[in-house]
Amino acid sequence: MTGYTMLRNGGGTANGAQPWVLRWSNRIRLTWLSFTLFIILVFFPLIAHYYLTTIDESEEAGKRIFGPRPDNELCEVKHVQDLCRIRESVSEELLQLESKRQDLNGEIARLNLKIEACKKSIENAKQDLLQLKNVISQTEHSYKELMAQNQPKLSLPVRLFPDKDDTGLPLPKSHRSCRLHSCFDYSRCPLTSGFPVYVYDPDSYAWGAALDPLVKQAFATSAKSSIYVTDNPSIACLYVVLVGELQEPSSLSTGDLERQLHALPYWRKDGHNHLLVHLSRKSLTQNFLSNVSMGRAAVAQSTFFENQYRPSFDLVTSPLVHALSEPNFLGVPPQVPVKRKYLFTFQGEKVETLHSSLQEAPPRSFEEMEGDPPADYDDRIIGTLKAVQDSRLDRVLVEFTCKNHPQPSLPTEWALCGEREERLKLLKVSTFALVIAPGDGRMVASAGCGMRLFEALEMGAIPVVLGDQTRMPYHDLIHWSEAALIIPKPRITEVHFLIRSISDNDLLVMRRQGRFLWETYFSTAENIFGTILAALRTRIQIPATPIREELAQEIPHKSGKAAGTDPNMADNGDLDLGPVETEPPYSSPRYLRNFTFTAADTFHGWNRPPGPFHLFPHTPLDPALPSEAKFLGSGTGFRPIGGGAGGSGKEFQAALGGNVPREQFTVVMLTYEREEVLMNSLERLNGLPYLNKVVVVWNSPKPPSDDLLWPDIGVPIMVVRTEKNSLNNRFLPWDAIETEAILSIDDDAHLRHDEIMFGFRVWREARDRIVGFPGRYHAWDVNHQSWLYNSNYSCELSMVLTGAAFFHKYYAYLYSYVMPQAIRDMVDEYINCEDIAMNFLVSHITRKPPIKVTSRWTFRCPGCPQALSHDDSHFHERHKCINFFVKVYGYMPLLYTQFRVDSVLFKTRLPHDKTKCFKFI
C-alpha cells in the first residue's frame, strides 16, 4: 500500500508541466472550432445566396425559383403549394379541436348544473308530495261540497246569431201604437248574440248629401269606434239610420224621405229592428219625422210631440253640442263653493205668447189670473219670477227679452239668448238654472230645452225644469230627480221657497250627479251614440260586451330557487287569526249573473258612477257607457256587506275568514331594476295563505338577468312585460289576474303574513274600499289657498297608499279606461302620484274613505335601496298632483276618517285557560 502511494506522488511531480500543455491545446481546439463555425455560418450562406441569385437572374422567367415573383405567386410552385395546404389543414383541425373542447367544457358545466338542480328537485319533490296529499284531501272535500250544492260552474255562453230569413211579425194596428213586444223582432237578438249593430253608410242613400257634414262625420267616427257595430248585416240585431240633422229641412219632402226609407236594403217592408237617429246641433230643429210613416222603426231624437212619442220604444236624446271637438274638462267650473253669485238665472224670449205682463205687477195667486190654463202659464211664470227678482231676498237674474238677437226656436218655445260663450259665463255663477218647457203642452221634448239642460249640467248649475210634462233624455233609465228639480208650472209661486230649502250637502250631491250624467252620456258624440245603443240594449235585456283586458306578455324566467331556506325571510308574525286552509290556486267565479239584472239595477246603474257591488270586472262592461257597467249586463253579483256566516270555529273556517266562501287574492308587484330587492320580497311570500298568484310588472326596458333564479314560493309567478316605463302599469287590468281581490305591493314593501291575512279579511267585508296599511291625508293651506299632501303621523287620514293595499279589480278597469286621461298623463309626467289618483277615483265612486288596518305606518324593508319617494321633489310633485286632480274632478273627493281596524283580540288580556279562537270539529 505504501509503495503504491509513493508511486502516485512521484509520478505527479515528474509530470508537472503536463497540465499547462493540455490547457494550451484545449484553447487551440476551441479557437479552431470557433473559426470553423464562423466560416460555415457566414461564408456558406453568402455563397449560397450568390449562387441562387445567379440562377434566378436567368433570362427565362419560368426558371426563376427562389427570387421574388410577381403578383405574389410564390405558392404556385408545386412543393410550396403542398406545404401551404398542409398548414391550412392543420390550422383548421386545430380550430375544430378548440371548438370541441369549449363545447365539452360547456356541456360539463351544464351537466353540473343539472346535477345540482336534480338534488334540489329531490328535496322539492318531497315537499310537493306532502302538499299534494293536502291538496287531494281538500279537493275531495270541495268536490263533496259542490255535489251537495248541485250548482255547476257557468262559463261564457256560446254566441248565437239570428236566422237570415225573418219569421215575420203580426202587423200592429198603427205604427203610433208600436211597443217592443209588438214591433221589435226579438228572434234577431238572442241573449248571447252580443248585440251586433249594422250602421247604414249615410253616403249610400239619397238624402245623405243633405245631412249636416259635422253631424255625419261625428256619427261615422262614433260608429267606427263602437264595439257593437258589425259589417255583416245578415247577423245584425239592430239597424241604425242617420236621418238628421239636415242642412236645409226644406230640401227633403216627407214623401221623398218615406219612399227612401222603405227602399233601404234591410228595411223588410215594415222597418222592424231599425232605429232612425236624428242628432240636433241647433236649438231650432224641425221635427220632420212627425209626418213620416216609419212602420216598426224606432226613433231617437231631441224633439217629440205627444202623439208622436211612443213610450219605451222611442228615445229622447240630448243635442249634439260637441260634434267633433272634445269638451274642455279642465275649463269646467269647480263644484265648490256650493252657493254661487246668483241663486237662479234665466234668459230667454218667446215672442209668440209674450203679453203685457212684462210691465204689469204679478198676481198673488194663479186663481187671480184670467185665462184658460195652461195657455197663460208662461205669462204667470214671468210675473212671478219678476216679483222674486224685485223682492231682492236673494240675488237672481231673470231676463225675458234678449239683449241681442235671440236664437231661432220652435213656436211656443223659449229662445236662447246670445252666443254659447255668453250663456256659459252666466251659468258659471248660477246655483240653479231655470229650464221652462214650451208653452205648447203637446210638445213633450224640444231641442231648445235639451240645449239648456246640456249647458246647465256642463257648468254645474242645477237644472230646475218647469213643466212636468217634459220628457227628459232617457227618462225611463235615468232618475233625473237626483240631478235636477222637475216642477209643474202651477207651482211657480213655490219655486223660490223650494230651492232655498235645499241644504248645501244636497246641492253638492245633485251637482256632482249632474256632472256625472253630463260626462257619461252627453259630453261627446261617442258618448251620445254609445248611450243610444246602450239604452236599446238594456230595454231588450242583452248583457253588455265584456270590457277588454290587458294581455299579459310573460317574460320567460328560470325558477328553482328554493324559498324559505333563509330564516330571516320567514316572517309570519305571531298574530293568531284563527284557522287557515292551504289550498291550491283558485280563481274567483265568473259569469254568475250573465243575464239576471232587475229594473232596480237598471235605474240605479244609470244614475250612479260605476261601483263594484253588483259586478265582477271580468264580466260585461260597456266601454261606450262605463257607468252602466255596474248593473247593465252585469256578471258576478257581490253579496251585500254584512250578509253570510262569519265567526269563529267551524263557520269561520268554512268561510275562510270572510262572508264570501273560498276566495283568494293576487299580488301585483311593480319593480324596476332592483332584482335583489325583488327576490327578497318574493321569498317573503312563500307559504302565504290565500295567495293565488304573483304578477310581477316588469317596468324596466331591460329584461331580467339570464342567470337570475326566481324563488319557488308554491304559487305561480308571472313576470309581465310592459310597453313603457309607467307607474300606471300598476293598475292595468291584466288578464293574468283571475281573482277579484288584488294586493298591490311595492317590491321593497315588508309585510308579515299575519298582517296580509288580516288586511285581506277586512277587505272581504268592505269590498268597495281600499284597505291597506300606510295612511296619508290631505290638508288645506290657508296661506296659499291650495291643497297639500301630508305624511305626518295624525289622528285622521284620507288616503291609503297602494304600495301595500287591497282593492277590487273593478277599479283597475276604471283607472285604466274610465278615469280622465289627463290624470294618467300627469302620473307619467311626474313619475309619481298613481296612488293618490287611485284614492281619488275610489272615493269619487263610493263617497267613502279608505280603511287602514293595523298600526303600521311605514312598510319599507330595512336596508333596501332608496326609492323615488326619497327624492326632494317627491312631496312638491304630490302637492301639485292633488290640486290638479281636484281641478279635473271639480271638487275634492277625498274624505277624512279616524277609523282604523285591528284584530278583535288586539291587545286583549285573556285568562290562561282561554284561547283566542275555538276550533270545533
Side-chain angles (χ1 to χ4, degrees):
M1 176 67 64
T2 305
Y4 175 75
T5 304
M6 293 177 59
L7 177 61
R8 292 183 60 186
N9 294 335
T13 305
N15 299 327
Q18 186 177 356
W20 179 86
V21 175
L22 291 175
R23 286 194 298 270
W24 180 79
S25 61
N26 288 336
R27 291 176 180 174
I28 294 296
R29 284 196 297 269
L30 289 174
T31 303
W32 176 253
L33 181 60
S34 301
F35 180 77
T36 304
L37 291 175
F38 177 80
I39 295 299
I40 294 173
L41 295 177
V42 175
F43 288 93
F44 274 44
L46 293 176
I47 296 171
H49 180 268
Y50 175 79
Y51 176 77
L52 294 175
T53 305
T54 304
I55 293 176
D56 270 2
E57 289 178 355
S58 174
E59 293 181 359
E60 298 180 6
K63 295 181 180 181
R64 297 174 62 185
I65 300 176
F66 297 100
R69 302 179 65 87
D71 301 329
N72 297 326
E73 296 177 354
L74 179 62
C75 291
E76 291 183 0
V77 182
K78 182 176 181 181
H79 63 281
V80 178
Q81 290 179 351
D82 293 340
L83 292 176
C84 293
R85 284 195 296 269
I86 292 172
R87 183 186 63 182
E88 294 175 357
S89 177
V90 172
S91 300
E92 184 177 357
E93 290 179 359
L94 290 175
L95 292 175
Q96 292 177 356
L97 290 175
E98 178 64 21
S99 177
K100 290 181 179 179
R101 186 184 69 83
Q102 294 179 357
D103 294 341
L104 290 175
N105 289 337
E107 185 67 23
I108 292 172
R110 286 192 293 271
L111 291 175
N112 289 333
L113 292 177
K114 288 183 179 179
I115 292 173
E116 296 297 328
C118 290
K119 292 180 180 179
K120 294 180 180 179
S121 298
I122 294 173
E123 297 297 329
N124 294 335
K126 294 179 180 179
Q127 298 179 2
D128 293 342
L129 181 59
L130 295 177
Q131 294 180 359
L132 286 176
K133 291 180 180 180
N134 295 332
V135 170
I136 292 173
S137 176
Q138 183 63 37
T139 303
E140 292 176 352
H141 179 70
S142 301
Y143 176 74
K144 292 178 181 179
E145 289 182 348
L146 291 175
M147 293 300 294
Q149 295 176 359
N150 194 21
Q151 293 180 353
K153 292 184 177 180
L154 299 180
S155 61
L156 187 65
V158 178
R159 187 175 182 182
L160 299 178
F161 296 103
D163 297 331
K164 294 183 179 180
D165 298 330
D166 290 331
T167 57
L169 294 173
L171 293 175
K173 295 181 180 180
S174 171
H175 72 274
R176 301 287 186 185
S177 61
C178 267
R179 299 297 183 270
L180 285 176
H181 68 274
S182 60
C183 292
F184 192 85
D185 185 4
Y186 280 87
S187 65
R188 297 199 61 84
C189 306
L191 288 176
T192 59
S193 64
F195 193 60
V197 177
Y198 179 78
V199 178
Y200 287 93
D201 183 7
D203 295 327
S204 63
Y205 39 78
W207 74 86
L211 294 173
D212 187 324
L214 290 179
V215 173
K216 184 164 60 174
Q217 186 176 354
F219 179 80
T221 303
S222 302
K224 186 177 180 180
S225 63
S226 175
I227 62 175
Y228 296 106
V229 174
T230 178
D231 294 332
N232 187 1
S234 62
I235 66 171
C237 163
L238 183 70
Y239 299 85
V240 180
V241 186
L242 181 64
V243 296
E245 184 171 45
L246 300 177
Q247 299 184 70
E248 296 292 337
S250 59
S251 62
L252 185 65
S253 64
T254 301
D256 292 339
L257 177 60
E258 186 173 325
R259 284 191 298 271
Q260 293 176 20
L261 286 175
H262 293 183
L264 292 174
Y266 308 104
W267 188 259
R268 297 185 179 93
K269 298 181 181 180
D270 56 3
H272 63 272
N273 292 46
H274 275 65
L275 177 66
L276 308 182
V277 178
H278 183 194
L279 301 178
S280 304
R281 290 186 57 244
K282 307 173 184 177
S283 58
L284 175 60
T285 299
Q286 297 296 334
N287 186 12
F288 58 87
L289 291 177
S290 58
N291 298 320
V292 176
S293 177
M294 296 166 293
R296 288 192 171 101
V299 178
Q301 62 180 12
S302 302
T303 303
F304 279 101
F305 291 112
E306 185 176 9
N307 61 350
Q308 174 192 7
Y309 179 72
R310 297 166 291 184
S312 300
F313 190 73
D314 293 329
L315 277 175
V316 179
T317 64
S318 62
L320 181 62
V321 177
H322 300 286
L324 294 178
S325 61
E326 292 287 335
N328 182 17
F329 291 98
L330 296 179
V332 176
Q335 299 184 31
V336 290
V338 177
K339 298 292 183 61
R340 297 179 176 177
K341 178 179 179 180
Y342 296 105
L343 178 63
F344 64 83
T345 59
F346 178 81
Q347 288 181 324
E349 181 175 335
K350 187 173 64 171
V351 179
E352 290 81 0
T353 59
L354 193 61
H355 297 310
S356 59
S357 57
L358 289 176
Q359 292 80 24
E360 297 176 357
R364 296 182 179 180
S365 65
F366 276 89
E367 288 75 8
E368 300 180 15
M369 288 291 299
E370 296 181 357
D372 184 19
D376 294 333
Y377 276 174
D378 287 348
D379 294 330
R380 301 177 185 183
I381 290 173
I382 293 173
T384 302
L385 295 180
K386 284 181 65 64
V388 173
Q389 184 178 22
D390 296 338
S391 67
R392 298 185 179 181
L393 294 176
D394 292 291
R395 194 169 186 179
V396 299
L397 175 63
V398 290
E399 296 178 353
F400 300 104
T401 56
C402 297
K403 298 178 181 178
N404 300 322
H405 193 274
Q407 300 291 329
S409 62
L410 296 174
T412 74
E413 185 180 22
W414 288 91
L416 296 171
C417 293
E419 299 298 329
R420 169 177 160 82
E421 290 74 15
E422 299 175 358
R423 299 193 300 270
L424 295 183
K425 184 178 181 180
L426 178 62
L427 290 173
K428 284 183 179 181
V429 294
S430 304
T431 306
F432 294 90
L434 298 184
V435 180
I436 304 177
D440 188 352
R442 296 171 298 176
M443 186 179 295
V444 296
S446 66
C449 287
M451 195 74 70
R452 289 183 182 272
L453 179 66
F454 180 95
E455 293 177 353
L457 294 177
E458 182 180 6
M459 292 294 105
I462 301 173
V464 179
V465 181
L466 296 178
D468 57 349
Q469 81 278 8
T470 302
R471 300 283 187 174
M472 305 289 284
Y474 318 107
H475 61 91
D476 55 342
L477 297 170
I478 295 178
H479 275 314
W480 279 103
S481 59
E482 298 182 359
L485 296 176
I486 303 177
I487 304 173
K489 286 185 176 181
R491 291 195 179 275
I492 181 60
T493 57
E494 301 172 309
V495 168
H496 186 206
F497 166 77
L498 179 61
I499 62 179
R500 289 189 66 185
S501 64
I502 301 178
S503 65
D504 290 353
N505 289 337
D506 292 338
L507 287 177
L508 183 59
V509 170
M510 296 181 70
R511 182 173 294 163
R512 185 170 58 247
Q513 181 67 13
R515 170 75 177 267
F516 162 73
L517 295 178
W518 175 75
E519 288 183 353
T520 307
Y521 304 119
F522 312 138
S523 58
T524 64
E526 292 185 4
N527 287 349
I528 293 176
F529 183 78
T531 303
I532 293 173
L533 296 186
L536 289 176
R537 183 184 54 74
T538 303
R539 285 178 175 177
I540 61 178
Q541 300 181 349
I542 293 182
T545 299
I547 195 170
R548 67 181 180 91
E549 293 186 304
E550 290 294 326
L551 182 62
Q553 300 180 359
E554 186 174 5
I555 300 177
H557 58 279
K558 298 178 182 179
S559 300
K561 180 181 179 182
T565 57
D566 187 355
N568 295 325
M569 293 299 172
D571 193 2
N572 298 327
D574 55 357
L575 181 61
D576 190 358
L577 297 178
V580 175
E581 289 76 24
T582 303
E583 286 194 338
Y586 173 78
S587 303
S588 298
R590 308 183 186 186
Y591 309 110
L592 295 185
R593 294 185 71 214
N594 284 331
F595 313 108
T596 54
F597 59 92
T598 64
D601 292 340
T602 301
F603 274 112
H604 290 139
W606 283 66
N607 282 272
R608 287 287 183 270
F613 283 113
H614 296 267
L615 174 64
F616 175 44
H618 289 296
T619 53
L621 248 159
D622 196 336
L625 193 62
S627 64
E628 73 170 79
K630 175 181 174 185
F631 293 96
L632 307 185
S634 56
T636 297
F638 289 178
R639 297 188 179 184
I641 294 177
S648 62
K650 184 177 180 179
E651 293 82 2
F652 181 85
Q653 184 177 7
L656 295 182
N659 296 322
V660 180
R662 200 183 184 195
E663 186 174 15
Q664 296 179 344
F665 64 89
T666 301
V667 168
V668 176
M669 187 177 295
L670 188 73
T671 185
Y672 186 90
E673 296 183 0
R674 296 200 294 181
E675 295 180 351
E676 182 179 358
V677 174
L678 174 63
M679 295 301 107
N680 292 336
S681 296
L682 291 176
E683 289 188 27
R684 280 192 290 268
L685 299 177
N686 183 36
L688 177 61
Y690 312 133
L691 180 58
N692 177 271
K693 183 187 298 182
V694 177
V695 177
V696 177
V697 182
W698 193 264
N699 229 19
S700 172
K702 300 179 182 178
S705 302
D706 295 335
D707 57 349
L708 183 63
L709 287 180
W710 295 71
D712 184 3
I713 61 175
V715 297
I717 297 178
M718 174 174 281
V719 186
V720 178
R721 178 185 289 107
T722 58
E723 295 182 357
K724 64 177 181 178
N725 177 22
S726 173
L727 294 180
N728 293 317
N729 296 332
R730 179 195 297 272
F731 302 125
L732 285 174
W734 303 104
D735 59 350
I737 302 175
E738 299 177 335
T739 60
E740 299 183 19
I742 295 177
L743 172 57
S744 174
I745 190 169
D746 289 341
D747 58 358
D748 58 355
H750 190 176
L751 296 174
R752 302 194 313 266
H753 284 194
D754 60 335
E755 292 176 325
I756 296 176
M757 292 166 54
F758 180 67
F760 177 51
R761 290 175 175 179
V762 172
W763 175 87
R764 296 179 71 188
E765 298 182 16
R767 310 173 70 85
D768 60 331
R769 315 273 280 275
I770 297 178
V771 177
F773 301 90
R776 302 291 186 267
Y777 68 97
H778 66 290
W780 179 252
D781 185 355
V782 179
N783 296 328
H784 298 87
Q785 293 295 297
S786 62
W787 293 102
L788 296 178
Y789 171 84
N790 202 313
S791 63
N792 296 330
Y793 291 95
S794 174
C795 61
E796 62 183 3
L797 59 91
S798 59
M799 292 175 282
V800 167
L801 301 186
T802 55
F806 287 92
F807 63 89
H808 200 286
K809 188 182 178 183
Y810 187 78
Y811 294 125
Y813 293 91
L814 297 183
Y815 184 98
S816 302
Y817 304 138
V818 179
M819 188 180 69
Q821 180 64 37
I823 296 179
R824 293 190 293 271
D825 291 341
M826 171 158 276
V827 171
D828 287 336
E829 179 183 354
Y830 286 157
I831 317 180
N832 198 346
C833 307
E834 85 286 356
D835 47 0
I836 300 178
M838 177 59 80
N839 277 271
F840 266 70
L841 174 65
V842 177
S843 296
H844 171 67
I845 296 299
T846 63
R847 303 306 303 138
K848 298 177 183 178
I851 296 178
K852 173 176 170 50
V853 293
T854 75
S855 59
R856 178 76 73 95
W857 202 263
T858 60
F859 56 92
R860 300 294 180 187
C861 61
C864 292
Q866 289 189 351
L868 294 175
S869 58
H870 292 83
D871 193 351
D872 294 337
S873 61
H874 177 75
F875 281 91
H876 296 288
E877 292 172 350
R878 294 173 86 81
H879 299 329
K880 295 179 182 178
C881 287
I882 286 185
N883 288 280
F884 179 78
F885 297 165
V886 168
K887 190 173 182 180
V888 173
Y889 281 99
Y891 75 112
M892 168 54 76
L894 298 179
L895 299 173
Y896 293 107
T897 180
Q898 295 184 351
F899 179 73
R900 192 188 82 190
V901 180
D902 284 300
S903 176
V904 175
L905 299 179
F906 178 68
K907 291 187 177 181
T908 301
R909 295 182 179 180
L910 296 175
H912 296 291
D913 58 342
K914 301 294 184 181
T915 57
K916 292 185 178 180
C917 291
F918 299 91
K919 182 176 181 181
F920 299 108
I921 299 177

